[in-house]
Amino acid sequence: MTASGQLVAYRATDFFNFRDYPFAESLDHGFRWINLKHFDLFNPNASDADLVHAVIQHDQFRDDYAGGGVDPAGTRHGHYWLQHITTQAYEPVGIPTMIATIASWAHQYGDVPQPLQNILETEIFDRIRQATARYQLKDLGEDCYHDYGRVHQDFHEVITINRTNNTLALIVAADD
């Protein structure tokens, strides 16, 4: 751990907007996107639960993914009020299940252009395969939705922990 006891540190964000790729039909992008937040892992011996908790507590987690960006004082995350998202809101997920979920979501309106498929393979699916642990945000139900939480039709989230290279990633795949 660092002197401050920090378990993870935010490094960067990659944003993959499906609108930036040439789909066969103009609206086949489905207003979808993937937000990939990279974190460095300071203590690879910390428990998975402690690492998931550290991400939830991080300022970068305070993002409603509705265009406003990160709000360090924010009370929303994705669909939900932040207060409802705890370590227990995440469940372990297997490699085939998580890849199938994101692939099905990405291909729901037809074929994905090859450049975007390459990104899915190298930036998302390979990251999921190489992780030493993966945790998917459960469906917490509409009672936990914030005031405009229904803005996303689809919302998929996974935290990948890679103790081999001391990294952690927060992957959100959703739509506008």
Side-chain angles (χ1 to χ4, degrees):
M1 282 193 292
T2 65
S4 66
Q6 186 178 4
L7 293 178
V8 298
Y10 170 74
R11 185 170 13 103
T13 295
D14 289 317
F15 185 76
F16 308 107
N17 191 332
F18 282 35
R19 282 180 267 196
D20 295 339
Y21 299 89
F23 280 83
E25 297 293 326
S26 63
L27 293 179
D28 283 355
H29 57 72
F31 302 95
R32 290 168 294 160
W33 47 264
I34 297 176
N35 186 292
L36 171 59
K37 293 185 182 188
H38 305 270
F39 294 84
D40 291 320
L41 175 59
F42 290 126
N43 184 353
N45 296 318
S47 72
D48 288 357
D50 286 343
L51 295 173
V52 169
H53 180 76
V55 171
I56 293 169
Q57 295 303 308
H58 201 283
D59 285 354
Q60 286 294 318
F61 194 79
R62 296 173 181 273
D63 193 332
D64 61 13
Y65 297 101
V70 173
D71 177 2
T75 57
R76 295 171 184 87
H77 176 81
H79 286 306
Y80 305 115
W81 290 110
L82 191 58
Q83 69 193 26
H84 296 292
I85 300 179
T86 64
T87 305
Q88 294 74 29
Y90 289 85
E91 60 189 354
V93 62
I95 295 168
T97 299
M98 196 68 243
I99 289 176
T101 297
I102 293 176
S104 175
W105 166 82
H107 291 270
Q108 66 184 303
Y109 302 120
D111 291 336
V112 171
Q114 193 59 51
L116 180 56
Q117 185 62 42
N118 294 344
I119 287 172
L120 288 171
E121 284 296 330
T122 60
E123 296 297 327
I124 308 304
F125 301 153
D126 282 351
R127 188 173 311 278
I128 290 168
R129 287 181 194 105
Q130 294 166 7
T132 54
R134 294 154 256 10
Y135 292 90
Q136 182 177 19
L137 179 62
K138 297 181 216 175
D139 180 351
L140 301 179
E142 290 190 19
D143 289 348
C144 297
Y145 279 14
H146 60 71
D147 47 346
Y148 55 90
R150 289 173 182 81
V151 69
H152 303 293
Q153 180 177 353
D154 294 311
F155 189 88
H156 304 285
E157 178 174 316
V158 63
I159 294 173
T160 63
I161 300 168
N162 189 326
R163 294 174 189 281
T164 305
N165 64 12
N166 293 329
T167 61
L168 186 147
L170 174 64
I171 303 168
V172 173
D175 55 55
D176 290 337

